[in-house]
Amino acid sequence: DLRIIFRNIFLNKKLIAIITFTSVAISLFYSFSKEKIYKGSFQIVLKDSTNNKDSLSSIFQNNAFSSSISNLVKSRMAKDLNTQVEILKSPSVLMPIFEYVKAEKLNEKKDISKYRFDKWLKKSLGIELIDGTTVLKIEYFDNNKELIFNSLNKISTAYQQYSDKDRITGL
């Protein structure tokens, strides 16, 4: 019976009003006191080192027997891309950027005694391969817009240097 529910609400209107007001006040205080986090991002098209395998895959697609070979080639390409992504996430590529961020945080008079690479990578960086593509999406989170911009530029430069090193090694 709805009359009973409405009667209970009407009788307890002061309690409901107090709880609502308190919840709104706490929520507003929390939202205004919380430090704002900004995000910057860019995308990189990873060089597919298996271009010849891709053309080989298209040749094999016409034959039913060859579809298993085509699937094998495609899985090999996916493994190569995932390996490339993991290399790009590694400290050998990202450590100079991490050191730069630490130095900037120190200049801002922030405590960096507990700043560790693995925590920084998980908390501040989002690096993922977009499904079905060779596009790598990089996102950087911080409360300093200028630091985001500079860090993303440094990450882009580091990735370009890594790909050049890989190309030179291939030659």
Side-chain angles (χ1 to χ4, degrees):
D1 191 17
L2 291 177
R3 283 182 278 160
I4 296 172
I5 294 173
F6 286 123
R7 192 180 95 225
N8 283 336
I9 291 173
F10 184 72
L11 292 175
N12 294 316
K13 65 184 173 190
K14 288 183 181 178
L15 178 63
I16 293 172
I18 290 171
I19 290 173
T20 303
F21 177 75
T22 305
S23 299
V24 168
I26 290 172
S27 298
L28 287 174
F29 175 74
Y30 177 75
S31 67
F32 286 122
S33 66
K34 184 135 174 88
E35 191 174 34
K36 290 182 176 28
I37 302 292
Y38 301 100
K39 174 179 90 167
S41 66
F42 69 96
Q43 296 177 345
I44 296 177
V45 177
L46 295 178
K47 188 182 100 184
D48 189 5
S49 62
T50 57
N51 283 338
N52 57 349
K53 291 179 185 177
D54 193 29
S55 61
L56 189 65
S57 167
S58 64
I59 291 170
F60 285 131
Q61 284 179 346
N62 296 334
N63 189 341
F65 169 73
S66 302
S67 66
S68 62
I69 294 174
S70 175
N71 290 337
L72 181 66
V73 170
K74 287 180 184 175
S75 70
R76 168 75 178 163
M77 288 169 46
K79 285 181 186 177
D80 288 344
L81 282 175
N82 288 334
T83 301
Q84 226 176 354
V85 169
E86 290 304 315
I87 290 170
L88 293 174
K89 285 183 183 180
S90 71
S92 62
V93 175
L94 292 176
M95 189 57 79
I97 291 92
F98 173 68
E99 293 297 331
Y100 167 75
V101 170
K102 268 178 55 174
E104 289 296 315
K105 295 286 183 183
L106 191 60
N107 287 343
E108 294 174 4
K109 308 281 191 255
K110 294 195 176 182
D111 181 26
I112 61 166
S113 62
K114 295 181 182 178
Y115 224 57
R116 301 288 179 258
F117 178 80
D118 56 337
K119 290 181 182 177
W120 172 76
L121 186 63
K122 287 179 184 175
K123 181 183 173 196
S124 297
L125 269 177
I127 301 174
E128 64 181 16
L129 190 62
I130 297 176
D131 290 337
T133 67
T134 60
V135 176
L136 185 67
K137 182 177 181 181
I138 294 104
E139 298 175 328
Y140 187 74
F141 305 93
D142 203 292
N143 57 352
N144 183 342
K145 290 180 185 179
E146 189 69 26
L147 182 61
I148 291 173
F149 180 73
N150 293 336
S151 298
L152 287 175
N153 281 336
K154 289 184 180 299
I155 290 170
S156 174
T157 303
Y159 285 174
Q160 289 170 8
Q161 288 173 350
Y162 166 76
S163 66
D164 284 347
K165 186 189 322 180
D166 194 35
R167 183 179 56 81
I168 290 170
T169 302
L171 291 176

